[in-house]
Amino acid sequence: MSRFSPYPEYKGSGVEWLGEIPAHWEVKRLRYVAELNPPKAEMRSLPPESSVSFIPMEAVGDNGSLSLEQVRPMSEVLTGYTYVREGDVAIAKITPCFENGKGAVMRGLENHIGFGTTELTVMRPRTGLTTSDYLYRVVLSEPFRVLGESSMYGAGGQKRVPDDFVRNFTIAWPPYEEQVLIQSFLDHETARIDALVEEQRRLIALLKEKRQAVISHAVTKGLDPDAPMKDSGVEWLGEVPAHWEVFRLKQMATVQGGATPAKERLDFWDGQIPWASPKDMKKDRISNAFDHITEKALSETGLSTIKPGAVLIVVRGMILAHSVPVAIAEVPLTINQDMKALTPCGQLSSEYMLLLLTGIKDAIFNYIDASAHGTKKLEWERFENINLPLPSLAEQRSICREVHEHVGRIHKLIVAATSTMKLLKERRSALISAAVTGKIDVRGWQAAQQPGQPELLMAAEERATYG
C-alpha cells in the first residue's frame, strides 16, 4: 500500500472504528444511500407467467460471481423468496456464508428480475448517492464483515446478521464521482491480484496432479525404468514389473467394519476410546478422533477395536469430493459405518498399502456407485476383488522411501503457493478496505498503459521462486 498516498486533509469521523476520514467525505448510515430489502409491490403488475431468475445460495459466489442458470415463472416464486432487481446488491446473512463473503451485484437477471433464498440481504443504491459496484465493495470490505460477524444472533449454524446492523452500518461516503473513480481503481487492482491468485491456484492443481502421478507410477510400474515387464492380466493396470505378483485385495488384508453407538445412550459417549469417522480423515496418520466412546459402548454394541497399523479407508461420505481418504491408525481405535479398516497380511506393509490405495485412486472410482438414497459409496463386495500389484517387502520399503522424498518436495511447493495465495488475498482485502475508508487517495490514479505487464512480471517472479 506504500505506493498510494493519503488524502491531503482529514477530519474526525465520530465513528470509533473508522477514525479520521478525508475532509470532503460525509459520514452516513447505509440506509441513507441504499434501500434495504425493497418491497415486491412493483412486481404485482407483471403477468404471473413472466420468467424470472431463481437464485439459491449456491448460485452466489464468494468472489462476486453469480450463476443464473435457473429460471422460473414468477407465480412460483413470488411468495416465500427474496426479491431482487437488476443492479441490486445482495449478500448472504447466514453463517458461514456471510463470513466467507458470499455476495454479488445482481446483473443479467431474466427480465431484470430475480427471486432467491431468504438468507440474502438486498440493498438497492439510491440514485446519485452511490453505485451498485461501490456499495458492493463497501459491504464486502473487512470492516463491514468483522463488525457484521460480531452482531450476529442465533446459535450454531443458524446465526445471522440482523437487518438493523446493515441498515445502521456507518461509514464515510465520498462524492458520487469519486466513488466511480475508486471503483475503477479497485476493478483494475483487484483484477491484477485475482490473476495472480488464479495462477497460484493452477500451480497448486498441477502440483497435486504431479504428486498423484508420481505415486501412481511408483506403485504400478516400480522405480526401475529398465526392469523387464509382463502383462498383469488386469485391463486398467496394464504391464507391471515381471518379478511382481498380482493379488486380490481380500488376499492382501483382513477387513473390519464399524458402526455408530446409539446417540441417545449418554453412557456410550465421551469416553477414552477414539471413534473415527470421515471427518477425522484429513491426514494420513490417525492418533486421535473428534469423538470418543466408552468401554461400555464397546462391549454392548459389538464394535471391534482396530489395532495400530491398520489402514483406514472411507467408503461413503467424503468420496463425493473425488477423493478416497486413507490413513494409518497409530493407536487402538474404533470406526463408524462409513469406513473400513484393512490389516495387511503376508508380505505387505501398512506404509505400502497406504501408498498403494492412494496411487490407484482413479481405479477405485470405478467401484463407486450411488446408493438407494443417492449417496455415493464404495461397493465393497466388488472392490475387495480388485487385483493389485505387489512387490517384495524390500522393494516396498524402497518405493515408500523414494516416493516420500519426491512427494515431500512437491508438498513444500504446494505450501509455498498456498501461502502466496493467502498473502495475495490479504492484500486484496486490505486494498479494498483502505480505498473505501479513505486511507489512500486514488484520485490521481490512471490504469497502466500496458495492463498485462505487471501481472507477467509478478508471475515470472513467482515461477522463479517455486520452480
Side-chain angles (χ1 to χ4, degrees), residues 223-258:
L223 300 176
D224 184 0
D226 300 320
M229 306 294 282
K230 68 178 180 183
D231 184 3
S232 66
V234 181
E235 184 178 355
W236 67 268
L237 186 56
E239 290 190 331
V240 297
H243 61 287
W244 286 19
E245 300 292 337
V246 176
F247 296 99
R248 290 182 179 180
L249 176 61
K250 64 182 180 181
Q251 296 175 296
M252 301 165 71
T254 57
V255 183
Q256 292 172 270

mmCIF file of all heavy atoms in Angstrom, residues 223-258:
data_model
loop_
_atom_site.group_PDB
_atom_site.id
_atom_site.type_symbol
_atom_site.label_atom_id
_atom_site.label_comp_id
_atom_site.label_asym_id
_atom_site.label_seq_id
_atom_site.Cartn_x
_atom_site.Cartn_y
_atom_site.Cartn_z
ATOM 1 N N LEU A 223 10.205 -48.429 -9.599
ATOM 2 C CA LEU A 223 11.163 -47.333 -9.706
ATOM 3 C C LEU A 223 12.178 -47.523 -10.822
ATOM 4 O O LEU A 223 12.778 -46.564 -11.289
ATOM 5 C CB LEU A 223 11.920 -47.174 -8.379
ATOM 6 C CG LEU A 223 11.080 -46.873 -7.135
ATOM 7 C CD1 LEU A 223 11.970 -46.850 -5.893
ATOM 8 C CD2 LEU A 223 10.342 -45.549 -7.281
ATOM 9 N N ASP A 224 12.369 -48.753 -11.257
ATOM 10 C CA ASP A 224 13.407 -49.051 -12.261
ATOM 11 C C ASP A 224 12.813 -48.986 -13.666
ATOM 12 O O ASP A 224 12.021 -49.857 -14.045
ATOM 13 C CB ASP A 224 13.984 -50.446 -12.004
ATOM 14 C CG ASP A 224 15.131 -50.787 -12.952
ATOM 15 O OD1 ASP A 224 15.467 -49.936 -13.804
ATOM 16 O OD2 ASP A 224 15.666 -51.909 -12.855
ATOM 17 N N PRO A 225 13.162 -47.961 -14.463
ATOM 18 C CA PRO A 225 12.590 -47.853 -15.808
ATOM 19 C C PRO A 225 13.069 -48.954 -16.752
ATOM 20 O O PRO A 225 12.459 -49.185 -17.807
ATOM 21 C CB PRO A 225 13.077 -46.479 -16.284
ATOM 22 C CG PRO A 225 14.317 -46.219 -15.502
ATOM 23 C CD PRO A 225 14.101 -46.869 -14.169
ATOM 24 N N ASP A 226 14.162 -49.641 -16.384
ATOM 25 C CA ASP A 226 14.701 -50.702 -17.250
ATOM 26 C C ASP A 226 14.262 -52.098 -16.824
ATOM 27 O O ASP A 226 14.700 -53.095 -17.418
ATOM 28 C CB ASP A 226 16.239 -50.634 -17.245
ATOM 29 C CG ASP A 226 16.751 -49.296 -17.761
ATOM 30 O OD1 ASP A 226 16.166 -48.772 -18.735
ATOM 31 O OD2 ASP A 226 17.724 -48.774 -17.182
ATOM 32 N N ALA A 227 13.436 -52.201 -15.800
ATOM 33 C CA ALA A 227 13.002 -53.518 -15.318
ATOM 34 C C ALA A 227 12.149 -54.227 -16.381
ATOM 35 O O ALA A 227 11.317 -53.590 -17.038
ATOM 36 C CB ALA A 227 12.199 -53.367 -14.036
ATOM 37 N N PRO A 228 12.359 -55.540 -16.581
ATOM 38 C CA PRO A 228 11.502 -56.292 -17.512
ATOM 39 C C PRO A 228 10.047 -56.227 -17.051
ATOM 40 O O PRO A 228 9.777 -56.250 -15.845
ATOM 41 C CB PRO A 228 12.051 -57.727 -17.421
ATOM 42 C CG PRO A 228 13.421 -57.580 -16.829
ATOM 43 C CD PRO A 228 13.379 -56.379 -15.950
ATOM 44 N N MET A 229 9.119 -56.143 -18.001
ATOM 45 C CA MET A 229 7.705 -56.013 -17.669
ATOM 46 C C MET A 229 6.932 -57.240 -18.146
ATOM 47 O O MET A 229 7.384 -57.988 -19.027
ATOM 48 C CB MET A 229 7.129 -54.750 -18.311
ATOM 49 C CG MET A 229 7.880 -53.470 -17.986
ATOM 50 S SD MET A 229 7.795 -52.990 -16.247
ATOM 51 C CE MET A 229 6.148 -52.280 -16.178
ATOM 52 N N LYS A 230 5.747 -57.422 -17.584
ATOM 53 C CA LYS A 230 4.854 -58.502 -18.011
ATOM 54 C C LYS A 230 3.423 -57.985 -17.980
ATOM 55 O O LYS A 230 3.120 -56.995 -17.303
ATOM 56 C CB LYS A 230 4.991 -59.715 -17.089
ATOM 57 C CG LYS A 230 4.469 -59.473 -15.669
ATOM 58 C CD LYS A 230 4.595 -60.722 -14.811
ATOM 59 C CE LYS A 230 4.065 -60.456 -13.384
ATOM 60 N NZ LYS A 230 4.232 -61.633 -12.513
ATOM 61 N N ASP A 231 2.558 -58.643 -18.711
ATOM 62 C CA ASP A 231 1.137 -58.272 -18.705
ATOM 63 C C ASP A 231 0.527 -58.723 -17.379
ATOM 64 O O ASP A 231 0.638 -59.891 -16.992
ATOM 65 C CB ASP A 231 0.435 -58.949 -19.879
ATOM 66 C CG ASP A 231 -1.029 -58.520 -19.996
ATOM 67 O OD1 ASP A 231 -1.457 -57.656 -19.196
ATOM 68 O OD2 ASP A 231 -1.741 -59.056 -20.865
ATOM 69 N N SER A 232 -0.127 -57.782 -16.706
ATOM 70 C CA SER A 232 -0.709 -58.103 -15.402
ATOM 71 C C SER A 232 -1.988 -58.932 -15.529
ATOM 72 O O SER A 232 -2.436 -59.539 -14.559
ATOM 73 C CB SER A 232 -1.020 -56.818 -14.636
ATOM 74 O OG SER A 232 -2.055 -56.090 -15.302
ATOM 75 N N GLY A 233 -2.584 -58.899 -16.729
ATOM 76 C CA GLY A 233 -3.874 -59.557 -16.894
ATOM 77 C C GLY A 233 -5.033 -58.717 -16.406
ATOM 78 O O GLY A 233 -6.181 -59.163 -16.412
ATOM 79 N N VAL A 234 -4.727 -57.490 -15.976
ATOM 80 C CA VAL A 234 -5.748 -56.573 -15.479
ATOM 81 C C VAL A 234 -5.802 -55.372 -16.422
ATOM 82 O O VAL A 234 -4.791 -54.699 -16.629
ATOM 83 C CB VAL A 234 -5.425 -56.091 -14.048
ATOM 84 C CG1 VAL A 234 -6.522 -55.165 -13.536
ATOM 85 C CG2 VAL A 234 -5.237 -57.286 -13.112
ATOM 86 N N GLU A 235 -6.972 -55.127 -17.016
ATOM 87 C CA GLU A 235 -7.078 -54.123 -18.074
ATOM 88 C C GLU A 235 -6.607 -52.748 -17.627
ATOM 89 O O GLU A 235 -5.816 -52.099 -18.315
ATOM 90 C CB GLU A 235 -8.525 -54.053 -18.565
ATOM 91 C CG GLU A 235 -8.710 -53.097 -19.725
ATOM 92 C CD GLU A 235 -10.140 -53.077 -20.245
ATOM 93 O OE1 GLU A 235 -10.960 -53.878 -19.751
ATOM 94 O OE2 GLU A 235 -10.434 -52.254 -21.125
ATOM 95 N N TRP A 236 -7.081 -52.256 -16.467
ATOM 96 C CA TRP A 236 -6.731 -50.896 -16.043
ATOM 97 C C TRP A 236 -5.285 -50.779 -15.606
ATOM 98 O O TRP A 236 -4.694 -49.693 -15.629
ATOM 99 C CB TRP A 236 -7.637 -50.432 -14.896
ATOM 100 C CG TRP A 236 -7.456 -51.175 -13.595
ATOM 101 C CD1 TRP A 236 -8.136 -52.272 -13.170
ATOM 102 C CD2 TRP A 236 -6.505 -50.869 -12.569
ATOM 103 N NE1 TRP A 236 -7.692 -52.682 -11.950
ATOM 104 C CE2 TRP A 236 -6.690 -51.836 -11.548
ATOM 105 C CE3 TRP A 236 -5.529 -49.895 -12.394
ATOM 106 C CZ2 TRP A 236 -5.921 -51.851 -10.384
ATOM 107 C CZ3 TRP A 236 -4.765 -49.896 -11.228
ATOM 108 C CH2 TRP A 236 -4.969 -50.875 -10.240
ATOM 109 N N LEU A 237 -4.664 -51.905 -15.248
ATOM 110 C CA LEU A 237 -3.307 -51.898 -14.714
ATOM 111 C C LEU A 237 -2.246 -52.014 -15.806
ATOM 112 O O LEU A 237 -1.179 -51.410 -15.729
ATOM 113 C CB LEU A 237 -3.168 -53.033 -13.690
ATOM 114 C CG LEU A 237 -1.883 -53.155 -12.894
ATOM 115 C CD1 LEU A 237 -1.583 -51.858 -12.151
ATOM 116 C CD2 LEU A 237 -1.997 -54.329 -11.907
ATOM 117 N N GLY A 238 -2.544 -52.785 -16.848
ATOM 118 C CA GLY A 238 -1.569 -52.965 -17.930
ATOM 119 C C GLY A 238 -0.372 -53.770 -17.483
ATOM 120 O O GLY A 238 -0.500 -54.737 -16.718
ATOM 121 N N GLU A 239 0.816 -53.376 -17.923
ATOM 122 C CA GLU A 239 2.033 -54.104 -17.592
ATOM 123 C C GLU A 239 2.559 -53.705 -16.218
ATOM 124 O O GLU A 239 2.429 -52.551 -15.793
ATOM 125 C CB GLU A 239 3.115 -53.845 -18.634
ATOM 126 C CG GLU A 239 2.819 -54.494 -19.983
ATOM 127 C CD GLU A 239 4.020 -54.432 -20.909
ATOM 128 O OE1 GLU A 239 4.824 -53.479 -20.777
ATOM 129 O OE2 GLU A 239 4.168 -55.332 -21.758
ATOM 130 N N VAL A 240 3.158 -54.701 -15.543
ATOM 131 C CA VAL A 240 3.817 -54.480 -14.255
ATOM 132 C C VAL A 240 5.192 -55.120 -14.317
ATOM 133 O O VAL A 240 5.469 -55.943 -15.209
ATOM 134 C CB VAL A 240 2.991 -55.085 -13.088
ATOM 135 C CG1 VAL A 240 1.633 -54.415 -12.977
ATOM 136 C CG2 VAL A 240 2.847 -56.602 -13.254
ATOM 137 N N PRO A 241 6.105 -54.739 -13.410
ATOM 138 C CA PRO A 241 7.408 -55.403 -13.401
ATOM 139 C C PRO A 241 7.254 -56.925 -13.349
ATOM 140 O O PRO A 241 6.392 -57.456 -12.630
ATOM 141 C CB PRO A 241 8.065 -54.855 -12.133
ATOM 142 C CG PRO A 241 7.476 -53.481 -11.994
ATOM 143 C CD PRO A 241 6.038 -53.654 -12.421
ATOM 144 N N ALA A 242 8.092 -57.604 -14.116
ATOM 145 C CA ALA A 242 7.942 -59.058 -14.288
ATOM 146 C C ALA A 242 8.062 -59.838 -12.984
ATOM 147 O O ALA A 242 7.482 -60.924 -12.839
ATOM 148 C CB ALA A 242 8.977 -59.562 -15.302
ATOM 149 N N HIS A 243 8.800 -59.308 -12.019
ATOM 150 C CA HIS A 243 9.011 -60.039 -10.770
ATOM 151 C C HIS A 243 7.955 -59.727 -9.710
ATOM 152 O O HIS A 243 8.011 -60.254 -8.605
ATOM 153 C CB HIS A 243 10.412 -59.739 -10.210
ATOM 154 C CG HIS A 243 10.644 -58.284 -9.889
ATOM 155 N ND1 HIS A 243 10.820 -57.330 -10.870
ATOM 156 C CD2 HIS A 243 10.729 -57.623 -8.702
ATOM 157 C CE1 HIS A 243 11.005 -56.144 -10.304
ATOM 158 N NE2 HIS A 243 10.948 -56.293 -8.987
ATOM 159 N N TRP A 244 6.982 -58.888 -10.036
ATOM 160 C CA TRP A 244 5.910 -58.574 -9.093
ATOM 161 C C TRP A 244 4.812 -59.627 -9.181
ATOM 162 O O TRP A 244 4.589 -60.251 -10.223
ATOM 163 C CB TRP A 244 5.303 -57.194 -9.394
ATOM 164 C CG TRP A 244 6.171 -56.030 -9.005
ATOM 165 C CD1 TRP A 244 7.515 -56.048 -8.768
ATOM 166 C CD2 TRP A 244 5.744 -54.675 -8.852
ATOM 167 N NE1 TRP A 244 7.957 -54.790 -8.472
ATOM 168 C CE2 TRP A 244 6.896 -53.918 -8.503
ATOM 169 C CE3 TRP A 244 4.525 -54.023 -8.959
ATOM 170 C CZ2 TRP A 244 6.855 -52.548 -8.270
ATOM 171 C CZ3 TRP A 244 4.480 -52.660 -8.723
ATOM 172 C CH2 TRP A 244 5.625 -51.918 -8.379
ATOM 173 N N GLU A 245 4.082 -59.793 -8.081
ATOM 174 C CA GLU A 245 2.911 -60.663 -8.058
ATOM 175 C C GLU A 245 1.649 -59.799 -8.136
ATOM 176 O O GLU A 245 1.683 -58.592 -7.875
ATOM 177 C CB GLU A 245 2.880 -61.490 -6.766
ATOM 178 C CG GLU A 245 4.089 -62.397 -6.557
ATOM 179 C CD GLU A 245 4.142 -63.537 -7.548
ATOM 180 O OE1 GLU A 245 3.076 -63.908 -8.102
ATOM 181 O OE2 GLU A 245 5.239 -64.071 -7.785
ATOM 182 N N VAL A 246 0.526 -60.431 -8.495
ATOM 183 C CA VAL A 246 -0.763 -59.742 -8.525
ATOM 184 C C VAL A 246 -1.736 -60.533 -7.660
ATOM 185 O O VAL A 246 -1.919 -61.741 -7.864
ATOM 186 C CB VAL A 246 -1.308 -59.615 -9.967
ATOM 187 C CG1 VAL A 246 -2.706 -58.984 -9.946
ATOM 188 C CG2 VAL A 246 -0.362 -58.772 -10.818
ATOM 189 N N PHE A 247 -2.332 -59.845 -6.681
ATOM 190 C CA PHE A 247 -3.271 -60.496 -5.759
ATOM 191 C C PHE A 247 -4.564 -59.693 -5.693
ATOM 192 O O PHE A 247 -4.588 -58.487 -5.955
ATOM 193 C CB PHE A 247 -2.680 -60.568 -4.339
ATOM 194 C CG PHE A 247 -1.452 -61.413 -4.221
ATOM 195 C CD1 PHE A 247 -0.197 -60.823 -4.212
ATOM 196 C CD2 PHE A 247 -1.548 -62.792 -4.111
ATOM 197 C CE1 PHE A 247 0.944 -61.592 -4.090
ATOM 198 C CE2 PHE A 247 -0.412 -63.577 -3.986
ATOM 199 C CZ PHE A 247 0.850 -62.976 -3.981
ATOM 200 N N ARG A 248 -5.629 -60.368 -5.286
ATOM 201 C CA ARG A 248 -6.854 -59.649 -4.964
ATOM 202 C C ARG A 248 -6.679 -58.958 -3.609
ATOM 203 O O ARG A 248 -5.953 -59.437 -2.747
ATOM 204 C CB ARG A 248 -8.039 -60.601 -4.905
ATOM 205 C CG ARG A 248 -8.448 -61.163 -6.258
ATOM 206 C CD ARG A 248 -9.652 -62.054 -6.126
ATOM 207 N NE ARG A 248 -10.067 -62.576 -7.420
ATOM 208 C CZ ARG A 248 -11.089 -63.393 -7.622
ATOM 209 N NH1 ARG A 248 -11.827 -63.778 -6.564
ATOM 210 N NH2 ARG A 248 -11.395 -63.816 -8.824
ATOM 211 N N LEU A 249 -7.373 -57.837 -3.441
ATOM 212 C CA LEU A 249 -7.263 -57.085 -2.198
ATOM 213 C C LEU A 249 -7.604 -57.948 -0.996
ATOM 214 O O LEU A 249 -6.931 -57.882 0.043
ATOM 215 C CB LEU A 249 -8.185 -55.858 -2.244
ATOM 216 C CG LEU A 249 -8.257 -55.017 -0.970
ATOM 217 C CD1 LEU A 249 -6.886 -54.438 -0.614
ATOM 218 C CD2 LEU A 249 -9.276 -53.895 -1.124
ATOM 219 N N LYS A 250 -8.636 -58.791 -1.104
ATOM 220 C CA LYS A 250 -9.059 -59.599 0.045
ATOM 221 C C LYS A 250 -8.025 -60.669 0.412
ATOM 222 O O LYS A 250 -8.084 -61.233 1.505
ATOM 223 C CB LYS A 250 -10.420 -60.224 -0.206
ATOM 224 C CG LYS A 250 -10.491 -61.217 -1.339
ATOM 225 C CD LYS A 250 -11.927 -61.697 -1.493
ATOM 226 C CE LYS A 250 -12.090 -62.710 -2.610
ATOM 227 N NZ LYS A 250 -13.499 -63.139 -2.763
ATOM 228 N N GLN A 251 -7.060 -60.921 -0.513
ATOM 229 C CA GLN A 251 -5.971 -61.833 -0.192
ATOM 230 C C GLN A 251 -4.830 -61.106 0.515
ATOM 231 O O GLN A 251 -3.962 -61.748 1.116
ATOM 232 C CB GLN A 251 -5.424 -62.475 -1.472
ATOM 233 C CG GLN A 251 -6.431 -63.356 -2.212
ATOM 234 C CD GLN A 251 -5.862 -63.850 -3.531
ATOM 235 O OE1 GLN A 251 -5.575 -63.056 -4.434
ATOM 236 N NE2 GLN A 251 -5.678 -65.163 -3.643
ATOM 237 N N MET A 252 -4.842 -59.782 0.441
ATOM 238 C CA MET A 252 -3.738 -58.982 0.964
ATOM 239 C C MET A 252 -4.015 -58.411 2.350
ATOM 240 O O MET A 252 -3.093 -57.929 3.027
ATOM 241 C CB MET A 252 -3.434 -57.827 0.000
ATOM 242 C CG MET A 252 -3.054 -58.304 -1.396
ATOM 243 S SD MET A 252 -3.108 -56.978 -2.640
ATOM 244 C CE MET A 252 -1.704 -55.991 -2.163
ATOM 245 N N ALA A 253 -5.280 -58.421 2.779
ATOM 246 C CA ALA A 253 -5.617 -57.792 4.054
ATOM 247 C C ALA A 253 -6.921 -58.349 4.598
ATOM 248 O O ALA A 253 -7.793 -58.782 3.837
ATOM 249 C CB ALA A 253 -5.727 -56.281 3.875
ATOM 250 N N THR A 254 -7.035 -58.332 5.936
ATOM 251 C CA THR A 254 -8.312 -58.647 6.575
ATOM 252 C C THR A 254 -9.085 -57.343 6.780
ATOM 253 O O THR A 254 -8.483 -56.278 6.944
ATOM 254 C CB THR A 254 -8.093 -59.340 7.929
ATOM 255 O OG1 THR A 254 -7.290 -58.502 8.759
ATOM 256 C CG2 THR A 254 -7.391 -60.675 7.739
ATOM 257 N N VAL A 255 -10.405 -57.433 6.771
ATOM 258 C CA VAL A 255 -11.243 -56.246 6.782
ATOM 259 C C VAL A 255 -12.113 -56.206 8.028
ATOM 260 O O VAL A 255 -12.677 -57.218 8.443
ATOM 261 C CB VAL A 255 -12.144 -56.191 5.533
ATOM 262 C CG1 VAL A 255 -12.964 -54.898 5.522
ATOM 263 C CG2 VAL A 255 -11.318 -56.303 4.272
ATOM 264 N N GLN A 256 -12.227 -55.028 8.634
ATOM 265 C CA GLN A 256 -13.148 -54.794 9.739
ATOM 266 C C GLN A 256 -14.026 -53.589 9.408
ATOM 267 O O GLN A 256 -13.548 -52.607 8.825
ATOM 268 C CB GLN A 256 -12.390 -54.505 11.041
ATOM 269 C CG GLN A 256 -11.626 -55.688 11.600
ATOM 270 C CD GLN A 256 -10.753 -55.278 12.767
ATOM 271 O OE1 GLN A 256 -9.593 -54.911 12.589
ATOM 272 N NE2 GLN A 256 -11.316 -55.329 13.969
ATOM 273 N N GLY A 257 -15.294 -53.681 9.763
ATOM 274 C CA GLY A 257 -16.218 -52.578 9.568
ATOM 275 C C GLY A 257 -16.442 -51.821 10.862
ATOM 276 O O GLY A 257 -15.814 -52.109 11.889
ATOM 277 N N GLY A 258 -17.341 -50.860 10.818
ATOM 278 C CA GLY A 258 -17.628 -50.065 12.003
ATOM 279 C C GLY A 258 -19.108 -49.829 12.180
ATOM 280 O O GLY A 258 -19.936 -50.310 11.399
#
